Amino acid sequence: MALLFSLPPPSSPSSSSPSFSSHCFSISLSSGHQSGRRIRFLPVAATTTTHNRQHSIPLDKSWLAVAEASEEDQLWAAACLRVRSFYDFQDSSYGIHDHKRYLTEREFVALKERIAGKRKGFKRVSCINATLPLSQLSSSANDLCAACKFTSNGEDRVVVGTLDLNQCLWLPEEIAGTKPEGIEAGFGRAYLSNVCVARELHRNGLGYDIVTKSKIVAEEWGITDLYVHVAVGNEPAKNLYMKSGFIHENNEPAWQARFLDRPRRILLWIGLPCTNEL
């Protein structure tokens, strides 16, 4: 079963958190759904994709760029990667390509709205992507290149990892962090969500790279306390965040996970030095 992030409809302000609300760096954070069952989009937490242990393509990371994204072409490519990572599809299913397109358009619209400050409850949101030149990816990644390609300054590149950095008090349907307290919580707290890495490129350290970049951006924003939600049984994701300096803060109540019909989460925290006084 693939671990997925939730994908709230753009029309729902209460679901304004990352459409796939969490992270999947090596293993996708959404739960696979069998054909015939209604697909539910639940906010899922930071994870890694382990459902598809295919051969990982080695990378020359000197070509890798990790940066905030704002151009629509690149945001669309990031939305494509999220849908590709967070959902299990049977390509032989009737209408599956139209369904993928629908999910991608929904995430693309929601992502743009979050970045533009149009989603209630979010003070600031940034999409951080890891990208590679198209020329640096082998033929074994043709599907990834076709789905997640964009053009920047005349160069064709591919989004191979992505996440959202969300400055807010809490994410919808997730347990909230407790730091900092009082009035400082409004500008000093942030969460990671929608963390994923292309399955062909797992085990190249890309998850660590985008999380590291998110910490740098968070410090520039004046964030002092950064959080991420992780499914209890997602050991690869927990290892990634522990390696990045996160520690355990809280557990999601069992009743909440049952009510939302998803794997139970834990909340991880890391304190950041404040480099920009807001």
Side-chain angles (χ1 to χ4, degrees):
M1 180 174 86
L3 300 173
L4 267 123
F5 303 103
S6 75
L7 184 60
S11 59
S12 163
S14 63
S15 301
S16 51
S17 68
S19 38
F20 312 90
S21 111
S22 269
H23 327 287
C24 150
F25 100 84
S26 236
I27 304 156
S28 92
L29 283 184
S30 32
S31 54
H33 299 275
Q34 301 300 318
S35 58
R37 293 183 59 191
R38 181 171 66 88
I39 296 179
R40 301 185 61 198
F41 309 109
L42 305 174
V44 196
T47 70
T48 321
T49 330
T50 50
H51 68 290
N52 197 356
R53 290 193 174 278
Q54 61 185 63
H55 177 68
S56 181
I57 301 172
L59 294 179
D60 178 357
K61 293 179 73 174
S62 66
W63 294 94
L64 183 71
V66 183
E68 295 180 83
S70 59
E71 297 179 356
E72 289 198 358
D73 198 19
Q74 187 176 163
L75 295 179
W76 174 266
C80 290
L81 180 59
R82 293 173 186 192
V83 170
R84 191 176 184 270
S85 299
F86 302 149
Y87 296 90
D88 279 334
F89 297 103
Q90 296 180 359
D91 287 337
S92 59
S93 300
Y94 176 76
I96 193 65
H97 296 295
D98 288 341
H99 187 59
K100 288 181 180 179
R101 177 82 183 186
Y102 162 73
L103 293 174
T104 303
E105 289 177 346
R106 187 171 67 170
E107 168 59 6
F108 174 61
V109 171
L111 178 57
K112 288 198 300 179
E113 289 183 355
R114 292 193 299 270
I115 292 173
K118 296 180 180 180
R119 287 300 180 101
K120 184 178 180 180
F122 289 81
K123 183 177 178 65
R124 192 172 183 179
V125 175
S126 178
C127 173
I128 296 173
N129 292 336
T131 69
L132 284 167
L134 179 64
S135 60
Q136 295 302 307
L137 291 168
S138 69
S139 59
S140 56
N142 281 345
D143 181 71
L144 169 66
C145 295
C148 304
K149 184 181 75 172
F150 69 99
T151 302
S152 178
N153 297 322
E155 179 186 37
D156 288 337
R157 299 185 68 88
V158 179
V159 174
V160 295
T162 181
L163 62 73
D164 287 340
L165 173 64
N166 310 274
Q167 185 179 19
C168 55
L169 290 175
W170 61 77
L171 295 178
E173 297 187 342
E174 300 286 3
I175 54 175
T178 60
K179 305 181 183 71
E181 298 179 349
I183 193 172
E184 293 182 359
F187 56 83
R189 185 185 303 168
Y191 298 83
L192 300 183
S193 62
N194 293 332
V195 184
C196 61
V197 166
R199 55 181 173 268
E200 296 90 342
L201 302 177
H202 292 171
R203 297 179 290 282
N204 278 294
L206 296 178
Y208 182 82
D209 293 336
I210 57 177
V211 170
T212 298
K213 178 62 176 181
S214 73
K215 290 159 61 179
I216 294 171
V217 175
E219 289 180 23
E220 293 172 351
W221 289 2
I223 300 299
T224 57
D225 298 272
L226 183 61
Y227 286 93
V228 67
H229 300 86
V230 188
V232 168
N234 194 334
E235 294 302 324
K238 287 192 284 187
N239 290 339
L240 164 66
Y241 295 116
M242 297 296 185
K243 178 182 177 182
S244 300
F246 287 81
I247 62 174
H248 177 272
E249 179 175 291
N250 201 0
N251 297 317
E252 179 182 46
W255 66 263
Q256 182 171 331
R258 288 195 299 269
F259 177 77
L260 295 170
D261 189 23
R262 69 181 188 195
R264 191 179 181 190
R265 314 247 205 277
I266 60 174
L267 181 64
L268 303 180
W269 164 87
I270 185 172
L272 301 176
C274 182
T275 59
N276 179 33
E277 293 295 335
L278 298 182

